[in-house]
PDB file of all heavy atoms in Angstrom:
ATOM      1  N   GLY A 101       4.566  29.102   9.273  1.00 97.00           N
ATOM      2  CA  GLY A 101       3.871  30.115   8.618  1.00 97.00           C
ATOM      3  C   GLY A 101       2.512  30.496   9.418  1.00 97.00           C
ATOM      4  O   GLY A 101       2.271  31.795   9.538  1.00 97.00           O
ATOM      5  N   LEU A 102       1.859  29.466   9.792  1.00 97.00           N
ATOM      6  CA  LEU A 102       0.639  29.698  10.524  1.00 97.00           C
ATOM      7  C   LEU A 102       0.957  30.288  11.930  1.00 97.00           C
ATOM      8  O   LEU A 102       0.156  31.134  12.368  1.00 97.00           O
ATOM      9  CB  LEU A 102      -0.119  28.347  10.655  1.00 97.00           C
ATOM     10  CG  LEU A 102      -1.581  28.401  11.287  1.00 97.00           C
ATOM     11  CD1 LEU A 102      -2.400  29.367  10.373  1.00 97.00           C
ATOM     12  CD2 LEU A 102      -2.217  26.978  11.272  1.00 97.00           C
ATOM     13  N   GLN A 103       1.997  29.852  12.535  1.00 97.00           N
ATOM     14  CA  GLN A 103       2.320  30.452  13.855  1.00 97.00           C
ATOM     15  C   GLN A 103       2.602  31.870  13.614  1.00 97.00           C
ATOM     16  O   GLN A 103       2.071  32.708  14.441  1.00 97.00           O
ATOM     17  CB  GLN A 103       3.632  29.675  14.395  1.00 97.00           C
ATOM     18  CG  GLN A 103       3.337  28.529  15.214  1.00 97.00           C
ATOM     19  CD  GLN A 103       4.613  28.003  15.714  1.00 97.00           C
ATOM     20  OE1 GLN A 103       5.601  27.791  15.032  1.00 97.00           O
ATOM     21  NE2 GLN A 103       4.487  27.489  17.073  1.00 97.00           N
ATOM     22  N   ASN A 104       3.312  32.299  12.612  1.00 97.00           N
ATOM     23  CA  ASN A 104       3.614  33.673  12.367  1.00 97.00           C
ATOM     24  C   ASN A 104       2.241  34.396  12.105  1.00 97.00           C
ATOM     25  O   ASN A 104       2.171  35.619  12.599  1.00 97.00           O
ATOM     26  CB  ASN A 104       4.531  33.877  11.213  1.00 97.00           C
ATOM     27  CG  ASN A 104       5.916  33.386  11.521  1.00 97.00           C
ATOM     28  OD1 ASN A 104       6.274  33.294  12.699  1.00 97.00           O
ATOM     29  ND2 ASN A 104       6.680  33.001  10.531  1.00 97.00           N
ATOM     30  N   MET A 105       1.433  33.841  11.288  1.00 97.00           N
ATOM     31  CA  MET A 105       0.168  34.634  10.920  1.00 97.00           C
ATOM     32  C   MET A 105      -0.644  34.717  12.217  1.00 97.00           C
ATOM     33  O   MET A 105      -1.258  35.892  12.417  1.00 97.00           O
ATOM     34  CB  MET A 105      -0.693  33.705   9.947  1.00 97.00           C
ATOM     35  CG  MET A 105      -1.943  34.343   9.462  1.00 97.00           C
ATOM     36  SD  MET A 105      -3.439  33.989  10.416  1.00 97.00           S
ATOM     37  CE  MET A 105      -3.606  32.255  10.410  1.00 97.00           C
ATOM     38  N   ALA A 106      -0.746  33.778  13.095  1.00 97.00           N
ATOM     39  CA  ALA A 106      -1.519  33.832  14.348  1.00 97.00           C
ATOM     40  C   ALA A 106      -1.037  34.981  15.232  1.00 97.00           C
ATOM     41  O   ALA A 106      -1.832  35.788  15.768  1.00 97.00           O
ATOM     42  CB  ALA A 106      -1.455  32.621  15.042  1.00 97.00           C
ATOM     43  N   THR A 107       0.331  35.077  15.337  1.00 97.00           N
ATOM     44  CA  THR A 107       0.953  36.185  16.099  1.00 97.00           C
ATOM     45  C   THR A 107       0.689  37.478  15.451  1.00 97.00           C
ATOM     46  O   THR A 107       0.185  38.461  16.146  1.00 97.00           O
ATOM     47  CB  THR A 107       2.449  35.846  16.319  1.00 97.00           C
ATOM     48  OG1 THR A 107       2.563  34.565  16.853  1.00 97.00           O
ATOM     49  CG2 THR A 107       3.022  36.966  17.148  1.00 97.00           C
ATOM     50  N   GLU A 108       1.073  37.699  14.133  1.00 98.00           N
ATOM     51  CA  GLU A 108       0.988  38.993  13.461  1.00 98.00           C
ATOM     52  C   GLU A 108      -0.418  39.504  13.406  1.00 98.00           C
ATOM     53  O   GLU A 108      -0.701  40.608  13.474  1.00 98.00           O
ATOM     54  CB  GLU A 108       1.738  38.848  12.258  1.00 98.00           C
ATOM     55  CG  GLU A 108       3.274  38.650  12.367  1.00 98.00           C
ATOM     56  CD  GLU A 108       3.867  38.390  11.046  1.00 98.00           C
ATOM     57  OE1 GLU A 108       3.273  38.514   9.890  1.00 98.00           O
ATOM     58  OE2 GLU A 108       5.126  38.090  11.176  1.00 98.00           O
ATOM     59  N   ASN A 109      -1.309  38.595  12.907  1.00 97.00           N
ATOM     60  CA  ASN A 109      -2.703  39.075  12.454  1.00 97.00           C
ATOM     61  C   ASN A 109      -3.664  39.009  13.638  1.00 97.00           C
ATOM     62  O   ASN A 109      -4.722  39.613  13.628  1.00 97.00           O
ATOM     63  CB  ASN A 109      -3.154  38.244  11.370  1.00 97.00           C
ATOM     64  CG  ASN A 109      -2.466  38.514  10.128  1.00 97.00           C
ATOM     65  OD1 ASN A 109      -1.543  39.365  10.056  1.00 97.00           O
ATOM     66  ND2 ASN A 109      -2.604  37.721   9.063  1.00 97.00           N
ATOM     67  N   PHE A 110      -3.467  38.126  14.698  1.00 97.00           N
ATOM     68  CA  PHE A 110      -4.442  37.850  15.740  1.00 97.00           C
ATOM     69  C   PHE A 110      -3.871  38.130  17.101  1.00 97.00           C
ATOM     70  O   PHE A 110      -4.659  37.914  18.110  1.00 97.00           O
ATOM     71  CB  PHE A 110      -5.151  36.485  15.594  1.00 97.00           C
ATOM     72  CG  PHE A 110      -5.886  36.288  14.362  1.00 97.00           C
ATOM     73  CD1 PHE A 110      -5.269  35.772  13.156  1.00 97.00           C
ATOM     74  CD2 PHE A 110      -7.210  36.708  14.117  1.00 97.00           C
ATOM     75  CE1 PHE A 110      -6.039  35.634  12.004  1.00 97.00           C
ATOM     76  CE2 PHE A 110      -7.915  36.583  12.987  1.00 97.00           C
ATOM     77  CZ  PHE A 110      -7.262  36.027  11.915  1.00 97.00           C
ATOM     78  N   SER A 111      -2.604  38.314  17.320  1.00 96.00           N
ATOM     79  CA  SER A 111      -1.957  38.441  18.569  1.00 96.00           C
ATOM     80  C   SER A 111      -2.274  37.162  19.445  1.00 96.00           C
ATOM     81  O   SER A 111      -2.561  37.232  20.612  1.00 96.00           O
ATOM     82  CB  SER A 111      -2.379  39.688  19.355  1.00 96.00           C
ATOM     83  OG  SER A 111      -2.035  40.788  18.561  1.00 96.00           O
ATOM     84  N   LEU A 112      -2.198  35.987  18.789  1.00 97.00           N
ATOM     85  CA  LEU A 112      -2.479  34.689  19.468  1.00 97.00           C
ATOM     86  C   LEU A 112      -1.258  33.868  19.267  1.00 97.00           C
ATOM     87  O   LEU A 112      -0.542  33.871  18.191  1.00 97.00           O
ATOM     88  CB  LEU A 112      -3.713  33.864  18.843  1.00 97.00           C
ATOM     89  CG  LEU A 112      -4.994  34.682  19.048  1.00 97.00           C
ATOM     90  CD1 LEU A 112      -6.161  33.867  18.197  1.00 97.00           C
ATOM     91  CD2 LEU A 112      -5.386  34.626  20.525  1.00 97.00           C
ATOM     92  N   SER A 113      -0.857  33.140  20.298  1.00 97.00           N
ATOM     93  CA  SER A 113       0.301  32.298  20.341  1.00 97.00           C
ATOM     94  C   SER A 113      -0.151  30.901  20.068  1.00 97.00           C
ATOM     95  O   SER A 113      -0.855  30.234  20.870  1.00 97.00           O
ATOM     96  CB  SER A 113       0.996  32.298  21.686  1.00 97.00           C
ATOM     97  OG  SER A 113       2.138  31.473  21.713  1.00 97.00           O
TER      98      SER A 113
END
Side-chain angles (χ1 to χ4, degrees):
L102 189 56
Q103 277 182 312
N104 291 335
M105 183 275 299
T107 300
E108 292 172 10
N109 296 349
F110 296 95
S111 298
L112 293 171
S113 176

